[in-house]
Amino acid sequence: MKRNAKRILLRCVFLGIIKCGYDVLFLYGLNYFDVSTGAFTFSITVVVLPVILLTMKKNVSPKTWLSALLVLAGIVCALGSQVFGNQIIGLMLMLIGCILRAVFIIKLNDFAKEHDSITLSVLISSIGAAISFCIWMFLQPQTFGAIEWLPTIIASLFIYAYFIVAFAQTLNIFAQKRATASGATVIYSLEIVFSLIWSAVLPETLIDRVIPTPFQVIGALLIVAGSIIEIVDFDFKGRRKNEVKKQEL
C-alpha cells in the first residue's frame, strides 16, 4: 500500500463495483431456480469468457473455444426446457451477471500478478460491502433491523462470509498469480460438481434438498470435460519433439 496506494485503491474500487454488480444480479437471478439448477447458470461465465477476452484484445486458444462449447452443452442439457421457459428472466439476469463476472476474473487475473493477494482480497471485499450497504440502506432503511435473525439465516451468512468471501476468494487470488484467466474461469466452473453434491447431502435446515436428475449429472460431466480440456496440456506433438531432443542429448 505504501508503494502503490492510489493504484491499488482505484483497481480495487473498479473490481469492487463489478463484484457488487454481479453479486446482486446473481441473488435476483437465483430466485428463479432451485439449488442444483441454479448452480449450472454460474457456468455461463465460461461460455462468455472467450468473447470478453476477444473484446479486450487478448488471445483465445482453440481449446478455450472447445471448452466453452462443452460447458454450453452441459448447461443446456441440465436446464432443458427451462432455457426457453418461464425462467427466461432469471437466465437473463444470470447472463448479465456472468458477463460482469468474466470481466472481473480477467482483470483480477492481471492485478493478482502485480499486487499482494491478501491486500486485494481485503480491499475488494471491503469496497464491495460499502457499496452494497449504501444500496441496501437506500432500498431498505431498516437494514439489519429488517432481517429476521433465525438460526438458519445466521448459519448461512456465516458459511458464505467465511468460506466464500474470506477463505475461498483469498485462495483464488493466490492461485490466479500463476493461472491464466481462462484456466481460472473453468476451474471456477467446477463448483457445479460440489453444488450438486451439497444440494443432495446437506441437511434441509440449511437448504432445500434437491436430488440431481440424470440430465443434470450428464450436464455436470460435460462441464467437467470442458474444464479438463482447458487446463490439461494436449500438445502431444510438442511433447514428442521434446522427448526426441532429450534422447539426442
Side-chain angles (χ1 to χ4, degrees):
M1 288 295 292
K2 288 180 179 178
R3 294 193 304 270
N4 300 299
K6 185 177 180 181
R7 191 179 190 187
I8 295 176
L9 283 172
L10 288 174
R11 287 179 167 184
C12 288
V13 167
F14 172 72
L15 292 176
I17 292 171
I18 294 177
K19 180 169 175 56
C20 176
Y22 75 69
D23 278 343
V24 171
L25 288 167
F26 285 167
L27 288 170
Y28 277 104
L30 287 174
N31 286 326
Y32 293 85
F33 307 99
D34 59 38
V35 174
S36 58
T37 306
F40 280 93
T41 59
F42 284 101
S43 299
I44 297 174
T45 306
V46 182
V47 179
V48 300
L49 180 78
V51 180
I52 304 299
L53 285 170
L54 281 180
T55 59
M56 293 184 172
K57 298 182 179 179
K58 295 180 180 287
N59 293 327
V60 183
S61 66
K63 68 178 184 178
T64 300
W65 289 108
L66 179 58
S67 173
L69 287 174
L70 283 172
V71 171
L72 177 61
I75 294 170
V76 173
C77 179
L79 297 183
S81 60
Q82 295 184 66
V83 175
F84 304 105
N86 56 2
Q87 280 85 2
I88 191 68
I89 296 175
L91 281 172
M92 289 297 102
L93 292 172
M94 297 301 293
L95 173 61
I96 298 170
C98 285
I99 292 172
L100 291 177
R101 191 184 185 207
V103 174
F104 177 86
I105 292 172
I106 293 169
K107 299 309 295 181
L108 179 59
N109 193 258
D110 294 336
F111 300 158
K113 293 175 173 60
E114 298 182 36
H115 305 297
D116 175 69
S117 301
I118 300 293
T119 303
L120 287 174
S121 182
V122 170
L123 288 176
I124 291 169
S125 298
S126 301
I127 292 168
I131 296 169
S132 300
F133 185 78
C134 291
I135 298 171
W136 185 25
M137 190 165 55
F138 176 77
L139 296 176
Q140 194 174 46
Q142 307 96 317
T143 58
F144 294 102
I147 298 175
E148 189 177 359
W149 293 102
L150 300 172
T152 52
I153 295 293
I154 297 172
S156 298
L157 287 174
F158 175 79
I159 290 169
Y160 188 85
Y162 178 75
F163 289 103
I164 306 301
V165 177
F167 189 68
Q169 177 178 268
T170 303
L171 285 180
N172 289 336
I173 296 175
F174 270 110
Q176 285 189 238
K177 284 182 177 291
R178 298 168 180 81
T180 63
S182 54
T185 305
V186 296
I187 291 172
Y188 282 133
S189 72
L190 291 176
E191 63 194 12
I192 179 59
V193 178
F194 300 100
S195 296
L196 288 178
I197 294 172
W198 297 138
S199 67
V201 302
L202 283 178
E204 293 185 359
T205 53
L206 288 178
I207 63 169
D208 294 327
R209 182 176 294 174
V210 179
I211 304 301
T213 67
F215 285 108
Q216 288 176 337
V217 174
I218 294 171
L221 291 175
L222 286 170
I223 291 173
V224 171
S227 303
I228 292 173
I229 285 174
E230 176 60 41
I231 61 180
V232 175
D233 183 11
F234 291 101
D235 186 14
F236 296 112
K237 292 182 179 179
R239 191 174 302 168
R240 179 60 182 167
K241 289 179 181 178
N242 291 333
E243 290 176 357
V244 171
K245 287 181 181 180
K246 288 180 181 178
Q247 290 175 0
E248 289 175 352
L249 293 173

